[in-house]
Amino acid sequence: MIALALAILLNQAGERIGTSDGGLPPQTGRAQISALAQALARQASHDFGAPQIEGLTANSLAVFASDFFGDFAALRDMVTRAAGQHVRGVLLMVLDPQELHFPFQGRTLFESMAGSLRHESQKADDLRQPYFEALKERKAQVANLAQSLGWQFFMHSTDQPATGALLDLYHALEYRR
């Protein structure tokens, strides 16, 4: 939703918008917003994908929004390749409150959004500390990656109003133009 709202704002400002995978080349207009909404809905059904950058052009701006729990090497490679093509951008880490607070106890079944990964634990509380350490490390990796490439990093929790993340992104991209 944040990506779509940002696209609407950028479109209203006269910017061309599209998907980084090249499936929706950058254009302006209401039809483009509709096509982008459909493309984003399709992408939400995949687990742990690294961004595709075939559709990015030199001197463009990119926003990659994810929990970034997937393969970090793939993320690093794609974002580094994009920066090498003179693409500037933002990495937005979006996390659910349950991912931030890990309230699980006892027998718990963990399942990825698209259902391709499952893990059952009899003592989820035993996973809390290792999970927090892994989350802290992943946030640091993503933030350091962004900083090393001259990109920006933001984190958003879905229990907070999306307007804060949207404003951060809009100002970051406005500054980068």
Side-chain angles (χ1 to χ4, degrees):
M1 295 308 297
I2 294 170
L4 184 58
L6 179 63
I8 291 168
L9 286 175
L10 292 171
N11 183 59
Q12 289 176 346
E15 296 289 342
R16 296 180 307 136
I17 54 168
T19 56
S20 64
D21 65 1
L24 188 62
Q27 294 181 15
T28 60
R30 289 183 135 183
Q32 185 74 347
I33 294 294
S34 179
L36 181 64
Q38 292 172 10
L40 290 172
R42 283 189 303 272
Q43 290 176 358
S45 66
H46 300 296
D47 281 334
F48 307 115
Q52 300 302 307
I53 62 168
E54 291 78 18
L56 297 178
T57 58
N59 301 313
S60 62
L61 299 170
V63 174
F64 296 125
S66 172
D67 59 14
F68 299 116
F69 286 160
D71 179 14
F72 183 74
L75 172 67
R76 182 187 59 234
D77 292 347
M78 288 297 163
V79 175
T80 301
R81 281 182 44 211
Q85 296 172 356
H86 304 285
V87 172
R88 298 162 308 198
V90 178
L91 299 177
L92 174 65
M93 181 178 253
V94 180
L95 299 174
D96 184 271
Q98 290 188 337
E99 293 170 317
L100 289 169
H101 305 296
F102 202 87
F104 309 105
Q105 297 180 15
R107 182 178 177 270
T108 305
L109 177 63
F110 298 97
E111 186 173 65
S112 61
M113 278 183 55
S116 66
L117 298 173
R118 299 179 97 184
H119 174 76
E120 183 175 349
S121 173
Q122 297 301 316
K123 294 182 178 183
D125 1 10
D126 290 349
L127 302 174
R128 184 173 288 112
Q129 193 57 39
Y131 171 80
F132 282 142
E133 291 169 11
L135 178 60
K136 181 179 177 183
E137 175 64 22
R138 182 51 56 103
K139 284 193 284 189
Q141 287 175 320
V142 176
N144 290 338
L145 172 63
Q147 182 181 23
S148 73
L149 299 172
W151 285 35
Q152 292 194 38
F153 169 78
F154 297 106
M155 196 180 91
H156 173 70
S157 175
T158 59
D159 64 341
Q160 299 299 309
T163 52
L166 184 59
L167 285 171
D168 286 342
L169 290 171
Y170 188 79
H171 289 301
L173 295 177
E174 184 177 57
Y175 172 74
R176 299 272 179 207
R177 290 203 277 167

